[in-house]
Amino acid sequence: MLTNLKLKNVGPAPETELEFSPRLNLFTGDNGLGKTFLLDVAWWALTRRWPHEVNPNLVSGYTAKPREPKQAATIDFSVVGKSGKTSQYTAAYIPRDEAWVGKAGRPTNPGLVLYAHADGGFSLWDPARNYWLKKGNIDVQERIPAFVFSPKEVWEGLEVDSNGNSTIVCNGLRRDWSRWIDQQGENKALMERVLETLSPPGETLRPGPMRRLSLEDARDIPTLAMPYDPAVPVLHASSGVRRVVALAYMLVWAWSEHLRAAELLGEEPTRQIVMLFDEIESHLHPRWQRSILASLFEVAKAFNDQANLQLLAATHSPLVLASLEPLFDAEMDAWFDIDVLERNAHIKRCTFNGSDEISNWLSCVTNVYRPYDQVFSEAG
Ligand SMILES: Nc1ncnc2c1ncn2[C@@H]1O[C@H](COP(=O)(O)OP(=O)(O)OP(=O)(O)O)[C@@H](O)[C@H]1O
Ligand SMILES: [Mg+2]
């Protein structure tokens, strides 16, 4: 779990400081104010790799660069590790190496980290598969540093270079889901359960019979049952449905592979899960936007009823904010709104009170939502 983040001379503000909450952390703000940037930095803090550095097929997640190259740039953060211990880390940007460098050695293990990128790509860091090795007395990072998928690789599979050999680390949604259906095993059932949990109320996504797509293509494609067609091939499904099916697949793949790896290591599966989710509402209709946040917490519990999920999500949707009304707990959750102040992005933590006015949902400064600082000063 990430507990705080402090940036100097990097990103859309000269200085940024955030204290995260243990459960939900929601980011709002106009285009270009640093929501995705903060998620990228959070991913780096948890895994020490920039997504684009791991997979250049990505068109986002680039290494953070300082604003003023001649001035010192730092990223400070604290992570609560698997053992419950908090560790603090400071990295400084070294221009010649184009890298963020801090204390050497094995980083704190944050548990399973999943990042759903805005364009449909995913990044995953698995404590059982990506954590450092010990060789003699020395910690070395000789494993694949993370699994970073472009949108196409989520569907078609991911091949990585590992110690000079090209290895298929994931078969991709189309092949894996077909295989899971053929095998009639646990993953088939888990995929169905996760799809059902992520579905909007009253419109459960259910698989239909497998179907061929063309004369030349010998592959059977998983389908979804729609009210107007009992077997829509998943490759023909709508953008919103594909976004959620891909999310369900990545979650099931990540969790089932984590279970297998933990078993091979003779370790307990992780209870800590951190999820970063950019533009959580993307492609979803309003009813779905109102259920997606709560569904993610349910999925984590379905994987492991002892799981603690910390979710950092960015949104432009008032309906995602509205969906928090019955859930928001100021002890467990936080809402950060980013605005422009004196030509810099300024992030503030807001109180969440709910509103009847939909136009007010995203604004931290209407009379319904008062800035956090103001509430503190009123309280004395
Ligand atoms: N790798 C990077 N290094 C340094 N600064 C960056 C980097 N990536 C983004 N930024 C800065 O962050 C700004 C905000 O970009 P970001 O993509 O985070 O906006 P956003 O709030 O997610 O917007 P949108 O809602 O349109 O997705 C950019 O204009 C740029 O100044
Ligand atoms: Mg963005």
Side-chain angles (χ1 to χ4, degrees):
M1 179 173 86
L2 195 60
T3 54
N4 66 47
L5 185 64
K6 199 167 153 188
L7 309 177
K8 261 194 194 153
N9 188 27
V10 56
E15 287 200 23
T16 305
E17 192 164 357
L18 294 173
E19 296 288 331
F20 295 104
S21 284
R23 192 171 64 176
L24 174 67
N25 295 273
L26 201 62
F27 296 91
T28 58
D30 286 357
N31 293 109
L33 294 188
K35 301 178 298 298
T36 302
F37 174 74
L38 283 171
L39 294 179
D40 288 345
V41 175
W43 163 267
W44 175 83
L46 293 159
T47 68
R48 302 300 164 76
R49 291 297 183 115
W50 300 98
H52 186 267
E53 175 197 4
V54 178
N55 185 347
N57 289 335
L58 244 58
V59 290
S60 62
Y62 293 90
T63 304
K65 293 287 159 97
R67 291 159 62 93
E68 294 292 339
K70 287 186 179 159
Q71 288 170 19
T74 52
I75 303 178
D76 272 90
F77 61 89
S78 300
V79 176
V80 179
K82 191 166 98 162
S83 60
K85 220 178 94 192
T86 303
S87 59
Q88 193 270 336
Y89 188 86
T90 303
Y93 189 73
I94 311 293
R96 221 167 252 288
D97 300 339
E98 298 197 304
W100 293 88
V101 177
K103 168 172 92 222
R106 184 184 279 244
T108 303
N109 180 343
L112 197 68
V113 188
L114 227 130
Y115 185 1
H117 300 277
D119 65 354
F122 281 88
S123 299
L124 169 77
W125 189 91
D126 179 343
R129 292 184 288 158
N130 304 121
Y131 201 42
W132 291 35
L133 298 168
K134 210 168 190 75
K135 288 215 165 152
N137 269 340
I138 305 169
D139 292 323
V140 288
Q141 168 48 294
E142 283 184 1
R143 292 224 169 89
I144 295 166
F147 302 102
V148 177
F149 297 74
S150 66
K152 187 173 177 201
E153 287 160 338
V154 174
W155 289 78
E156 299 299 331
L158 178 65
E159 201 167 330
V160 301
D161 204 42
S162 170
N163 298 324
N165 296 317
S166 185
T167 310
I168 294 173
V169 289
C170 175
N171 294 312
L173 189 162
R174 197 169 45 74
R175 258 171 291 203
D176 266 346
W177 197 12
S178 306
R179 207 165 45 90
W180 296 345
I181 293 168
D182 284 345
Q183 289 168 343
Q184 296 282 319
E186 276 175 22
N187 279 5
K188 173 183 181 281
L190 193 56
M191 181 75 183
E192 282 171 18
R193 182 163 174 203
V194 171
L195 266 183
E196 189 174 337
T197 308
L198 292 174
S199 298
E203 288 171 44
T204 305
L205 285 173
R206 287 188 209 289
M210 303 273 270
R211 197 180 248 190
R212 286 276 165 103
L213 263 190
S214 80
L215 293 174
E216 289 85 20
D217 193 339
R219 295 168 304 187
D220 289 325
I221 307 289
T223 68
L224 290 158
M226 289 289 158
Y228 48 82
D229 183 343
V232 175
V234 70
L235 303 178
H236 289 182
S238 71
S239 305
V241 169
R242 272 185 289 133
R243 166 100 163 151
V244 171
V245 169
L247 170 65
Y249 166 66
M250 274 284 109
L251 291 167
V252 172
W253 181 79
W255 186 249
S256 60
E257 292 294 323
H258 173 68
L259 288 185
R260 277 187 174 189
E263 198 180 323
L264 279 175
L265 296 173
E267 291 176 0
E268 285 299 309
T270 186
R271 284 164 55 175
Q272 287 207 159
I273 305 175
V274 186
M275 188 161 182
L276 315 171
F277 209 132
D278 204 2
E279 310 219 352
I280 193 161
E281 72 283 2
S282 108
H283 305 303
L284 304 183
H285 71 65
R287 202 151 3 104
W288 214 340
Q289 292 181 17
R290 293 195 70 142
S291 64
I292 189 76
L293 268 180
S295 306
L296 287 170
F297 286 97
E298 258 187 74
V299 170
K301 286 285 173 219
F303 286 164
N304 182 345
D305 57 8
Q306 305 285 305
N308 290 315
L309 171 65
Q310 185 187 37
L311 178 62
L312 275 60
T315 186
H316 284 294
S317 167
L319 295 163
V320 169
L321 261 290
S323 76
L324 291 185
E325 205 168 10
L327 312 170
F328 197 89
D329 172 348
E331 299 277 309
M332 301 289 285
D333 307 314
W335 168 30
F336 301 98
D337 190 44
I338 316 178
D339 222 333
V340 178
L341 206 68
E342 293 167 7
R343 299 167 68 90
N344 281 309
H346 175 72
I347 189 156
K348 55 191 174 296
R349 192 171 169 145
C350 305
T351 48
F352 184 88
N353 295 324
S355 168
D356 296 334
E357 274 291 311
I358 195 92
S359 57
N360 285 339
W361 276 112
L362 280 174
S363 170
C364 193
V365 288
T366 59
N367 43 16
V368 181
Y369 295 116
R370 291 165 302 164
Y372 193 71
D373 310 344
Q374 188 189 330
V375 173
F376 261 115
S377 58
E378 278 172 15

